[in-house]
Amino acid sequence: MIWLFNIIDVKVALMIGVMLLCVSCNSTKNVVHEENINKEKVFLSGNVDKDLYKEVQQWIGVPYKYGGNSKSGIDCSGLVVQIYNNVYAKKLYRTSYEIYEKNCKKISVNELKEGDLLFFNTSKKKNRINHVGLYLQKDKFVHTSTRKGVIISDLKDLYYKNCFIAAGRVE
């Protein structure tokens, strides 16, 4: 009877192993998903702004803190302000709305390039910008999540598609 449980255990273990292998070996190489980001390297393909990605890498996983401006805790606009200062030596306004109104030229999503900004309304108030992310490439952007801290998300995710307001390029 014990040998029967061992055979069942082996079969279950093999099935779990195969399922994990299938899940982890999808064909989207060089794409970062927020579920597995943690402190992994930020890899995207093609010609990239290496300084931008090195800076983004240093912020991944930093916890969210409203009004935060450091690696001990940061909010969305604080992250954008820090990255722009460190990578491009540009000073930006502190809130997502001010950055949109005072630092950006409005562009269409089709014009997005690395370093451009994405503006969102994540509240129930209509068309009020209250969140900003920094575009990387292939619909990926870095921003802060109140639950997960600094992460990379996909602009095509339904949540972000629904709360997207505008894109802008810092002048």
Side-chain angles (χ1 to χ4, degrees):
M1 191 63 138
I2 292 175
W3 62 270
L4 181 60
F5 288 114
N6 286 339
I7 290 172
I8 292 171
D9 289 344
V10 169
K11 284 184 179 180
V12 169
L14 282 172
M15 285 178 24
I16 291 171
V18 168
M19 288 183 347
L20 287 174
L21 187 60
C22 290
V23 169
S24 66
C25 293
N26 65 30
S27 62
T28 56
K29 285 200 303 197
N30 295 328
V31 175
V32 180
H33 298 282
E34 67 183 55
E35 306 88 51
N36 60 10
I37 195 69
N38 296 326
K39 284 286 189 183
E40 295 175 27
K41 288 187 177 180
V42 177
F43 286 114
L44 292 167
S45 61
N47 296 326
V48 296
D49 179 342
K50 289 181 176 71
D51 292 334
L52 173 62
Y53 289 96
K54 284 180 188 174
E55 183 68 21
V56 167
Q57 178 62 44
Q58 293 178 29
W59 289 97
I60 297 296
V62 170
Y64 174 84
K65 179 181 179 189
Y66 180 77
N69 208 25
S70 71
K71 299 250 172 85
S72 62
I74 197 153
D75 65 14
C76 64
S77 57
L79 176 68
V80 167
V81 165
Q82 287 294 325
I83 290 175
Y84 259 83
N85 186 46
N86 297 343
V87 176
Y88 305 117
K90 289 187 179 183
K91 302 278 185 212
L92 301 181
Y93 282 86
R94 183 55 177 89
T95 69
S96 52
Y97 180 76
E98 286 179 311
I99 293 169
Y100 175 72
E101 286 294 319
K102 299 176 181 177
N103 293 125
C104 286
K105 174 183 118 181
K106 285 48 171 185
I107 60 171
S108 80
V109 223
N110 300 331
E111 300 174 83
L112 283 168
K113 295 193 290 191
E114 291 171 333
D116 287 339
L117 301 179
L118 303 169
F119 297 93
F120 303 89
N121 172 13
T122 59
S123 74
K124 293 183 175 31
K125 295 178 183 173
K126 294 255 182 211
N127 293 327
R128 182 179 161 266
I129 291 172
N130 67 347
H131 187 64
V132 62
L134 189 140
Y135 186 75
L136 298 172
Q137 62 172 261
K138 297 183 180 182
D139 297 316
K140 305 293 185 234
F141 66 101
V142 64
H143 66 119
T144 57
S145 158
T146 54
R147 277 190 14 241
K148 299 178 182 179
V150 178
I151 59 171
I152 294 176
S153 295
D154 193 311
L155 192 54
K156 288 183 181 175
D157 286 349
L158 187 59
Y159 176 78
Y160 297 110
K161 280 174 89 167
N162 288 337
C163 64
F164 177 76
I165 299 287
R169 182 163 295 143
V170 174
E171 300 181 292

